Amino acid sequence: MKPVYTLEDLVSRDVLDAGVHKPARLAVLGYPIAHSASPRMHQPALDAEGIDARYIRLEVEPGNIPEAFARMRALGFIGCNVTVPHKLEAMAACDEVRPDARALGAVNTVRFDADATRGFNTDGPGFANAIEDEFGVPLGSLTVAIAGAGGGAGQAIATQCVLLGMERLVLANRSVEKLETLAERLGELGGRTEVSMFPLTGAALMAACQDCDLIVNTSSVGLKEGDPSILTADCLRAGHLVYDTIYQPPVTPLLALANQTGCRTANGKSMLLHQGALAFQHWFPGTDPLAVMKAALA
Ligand code: ATR
């Protein structure tokens, strides 16, 4: 059993170690993919449900998603998760895409049904469930500021906020041009949310953040040792809810600053968990994998 399989392995069940291990029927596709924590939570959930399937990591180079889907289908895979950088390519490679995934602009979960390859997005809904789980309040009832909204995670979370009919959304990013494209897309959703945009520094952003209930980091700032906090201390106040989509390290510079300020904080582990549980339920409707997955990630 390999820690990472490749497209070349998707030629026969023998290459995937059939007969030796449970048959590979689910996978997470990315490039690179060796670091993915997804098998760590999906495999125990499969085992607990008594499903005869193995969840593998599959390294797929950009451009090869349609081929990967075709080979997985031929080998009887149930579905897959898709991560960076494949979420757009996966959307294009599906026969049908759920409207909310289309609005989110990305597919992270795929189901190989007999009649069609169907695409879903559980990142946005998984984030909403994570916020309710961590802080005990529905995401749609909050006003939210997203720092580093220019990347894929920022786009998914901003879209989820608008789909939930949130009253007010603040977007902040190093390059403001990226926000203009995002704001245009959010406007096309036709919701009631008032969206404002700021660069990452300045008094206007500080005032806008102070006025929000929830602050979210969706950037990669905080992943690397020595990274600063994406926001300065004057953007935070006691009572703020602060969520970092990063979970490694568990306490990012933003969360450390928020803890010192008296905010309630949580990291991206709960988003990983909830998007995973929702994906599992797309493959196996009626199951409830959350508790097993949570224990496996702990
Ligand atoms: P993706 O998630 O699509 O792969 P990314 O390139 O990893 O995107 O960037 C994610 C976010 O992190 C972006 O909002 C990016 O800001 P820019 O749009 O201005 O590039 C943000 N980001 C990355 N490094 C940053 C840094 N050193 N300072 C501020 N923001 C940063």
Side-chain angles (χ1 to χ4, degrees):
M1 190 155 69
K2 297 187 192 175
V4 173
Y5 291 87
T6 66
L7 203 55
E8 287 68 48
D9 296 319
L10 289 181
V11 286
S12 79
R13 288 231 147 259
D14 288 346
V15 182
L16 293 168
D17 307 310
V20 184
H21 303 284
K22 287 185 174 183
R25 291 196 187 286
L26 291 156
V28 57
L29 279 58
Y31 191 81
I33 197 61
H35 64 281
S36 172
S38 290
R40 197 145 64 81
M41 62 177 169
H42 281 287
Q43 194 60 56
L46 290 167
D47 297 344
E49 292 285 348
I51 298 164
D52 186 29
R54 187 155 49 96
Y55 186 107
I56 63 169
R57 294 185 184 89
L58 195 62
E59 186 179 85
V60 179
E61 287 181 24
N64 287 341
I65 290 295
E67 181 63 24
F69 283 7
R71 291 191 188 194
M72 290 167 87
R73 263 192 164 285
L75 290 173
F77 274 66
I78 296 160
C80 64
N81 285 128
V82 178
T83 187
V84 181
H86 296 317
K87 293 184 187 187
L88 270 177
E89 198 183 334
M91 186 159 78
C94 287
D95 303 314
E96 276 178 32
V97 176
R98 281 280 174 91
D100 63 336
R102 180 87 54 202
L104 286 153
V107 156
N108 79 325
T109 301
V110 172
R111 200 175 62 210
F112 301 120
D113 293 334
D115 62 332
T117 296
R118 295 195 162 83
F120 308 85
N121 188 310
T122 67
D123 286 330
F127 174 73
N129 288 355
I131 292 301
E132 185 143 11
D133 191 358
E134 297 278 8
F135 300 125
V137 282
L139 176 63
S141 70
L142 301 171
T143 52
V144 175
I146 302 177
Q155 177 172 320
I157 287 173
T159 305
Q160 185 67 28
C161 290
V162 171
L163 290 177
L164 288 172
M166 179 174 291
E167 198 176 305
R168 201 153 40 79
L169 178 63
V170 171
L171 304 176
N173 204 48
R174 178 176 56 180
S175 55
V176 182
E177 313 85 71
K178 280 203 202 162
L179 291 184
E180 279 157 13
T181 317
L182 174 58
E184 216 168 279
R185 291 204 49 219
L186 294 175
E188 286 164 9
L189 299 174
R192 64 173 198 135
T193 309
E194 177 200 319
V195 179
S196 52
M197 295 174 286
F198 302 90
L200 271 179
T201 51
L205 174 65
M206 185 196 81
C209 284
Q210 289 289 341
D211 218 20
C212 284
D213 306 309
L214 170 69
I215 310 281
V216 187
N217 174 34
T218 58
S219 81
S220 48
V221 181
L223 264 178
K224 289 196 307 285
E225 213 181 317
D227 273 356
S229 166
I230 180 108
L231 292 172
T232 49
D234 51 14
C235 291
L236 303 176
R237 61 170 162 76
H240 259 154
L241 310 177
V242 181
Y243 192 90
D244 203 319
T245 57
I246 294 170
Y247 58 89
Q248 194 54 256
V251 182
T252 60
L254 172 68
L255 293 186
L257 195 59
N259 286 333
Q260 284 164 25
T261 312
C263 309
R264 291 173 65 196
T265 60
N267 73 29
K269 207 173 192 181
S270 46
M271 186 176 169
L272 172 73
L273 168 71
H274 282 281
Q275 65 76 27
L278 291 172
F280 195 91
Q281 288 171 320
H282 281 306
W283 302 319
F284 308 108
T287 58
D288 187 9
L290 198 66
V292 172
M293 286 184 162
K294 195 171 197 167
L297 279 183

